[in-house]
Amino acid sequence: LRDASKTILVMTTASVPWLTGTAINPLLRAAHLAAARPPGAVTLYLPWLEPDEQQEIYGATARFEDKRAHAAFVATWLRETAGLVDEAAKLRVAFYDAHYHRPQGSIYPMGRTVEALDRPDFERYDDRGGVERGAWAPDAVVLEEPEHLN
């Protein structure tokens, strides 16, 4: 991970605006890894919850009609709350389909996760709402809460 020429995917089971350690720590980790790399070398892979499920997790804080809007929120949080402007510009955000499991208070993937990176329709969003489409093969994958990702 120290080699700045390597591409990295950081995958987690939570995202801001849900202010849990499982959302904040991987975001800051991905930003730190992106700092010494070229734009797009680090992607934060987040759960995508459909809008009707979001209120239970995010409350009235935010509601995202699409992934682009959620990615923009993540970039804004990184710039304005964490003060990591340069890192926000370098980081990419992608999403996997997920579901909130109320009894356990956890978000779980639905379907393909890391293997979806190989798909031609895989999408990564930049901090300004741009989208990069196409298969992406990182050199390393960092998993947060891997017990929830199987």
Side-chain angles (χ1 to χ4, degrees):
L1 296 179
R2 291 182 188 158
D3 182 348
S5 70
K6 301 297 183 187
T7 56
I8 301 170
L9 178 84
V10 178
M11 183 176 180
T12 187
T13 58
S15 175
V16 294
W18 197 14
L19 299 179
T20 67
T22 311
I24 303 299
N25 293 337
L27 173 55
L28 296 178
R29 182 174 295 109
H32 173 74
L33 290 167
R37 289 177 168 76
V42 177
T43 296
L44 180 62
Y45 203 22
L46 300 173
W48 168 251
L49 298 171
E50 290 298 328
D52 61 332
E53 277 193 302
Q54 293 173 14
Q55 185 165 356
E56 189 163 359
I57 303 294
Y58 306 141
T61 305
R63 180 180 168 96
F64 310 108
E65 292 301 320
D66 57 33
K67 295 172 183 174
R68 185 182 311 254
H70 192 164
F73 183 93
V74 171
T76 299
W77 191 95
L78 199 54
R79 276 192 310 272
E80 296 178 5
T81 303
L84 299 173
V85 176
D86 294 338
E87 292 83 347
K90 291 182 172 188
L91 186 64
R92 300 298 181 262
V93 176
F95 296 93
Y96 60 89
D97 293 330
H99 171 71
Y100 179 65
H101 190 258
R102 185 177 298 120
Q104 292 182 333
S106 296
I107 297 174
Y108 291 99
M110 295 176 52
R112 301 174 69 186
T113 54
V114 175
E115 58 271 8
L117 303 176
D118 198 22
R119 293 174 43 168
D121 61 344
F122 183 70
E123 295 181 335
R124 299 184 314 140
Y125 299 90
D126 67 24
D127 70 316
R128 301 294 177 200
V131 63
E132 299 169 5
R133 287 185 182 86
W136 190 69
D139 295 308
V141 176
V142 177
L143 302 175
E144 295 283 335
E145 288 197 339
E147 69 276 12
H148 291 229
L149 297 172
N150 51 1

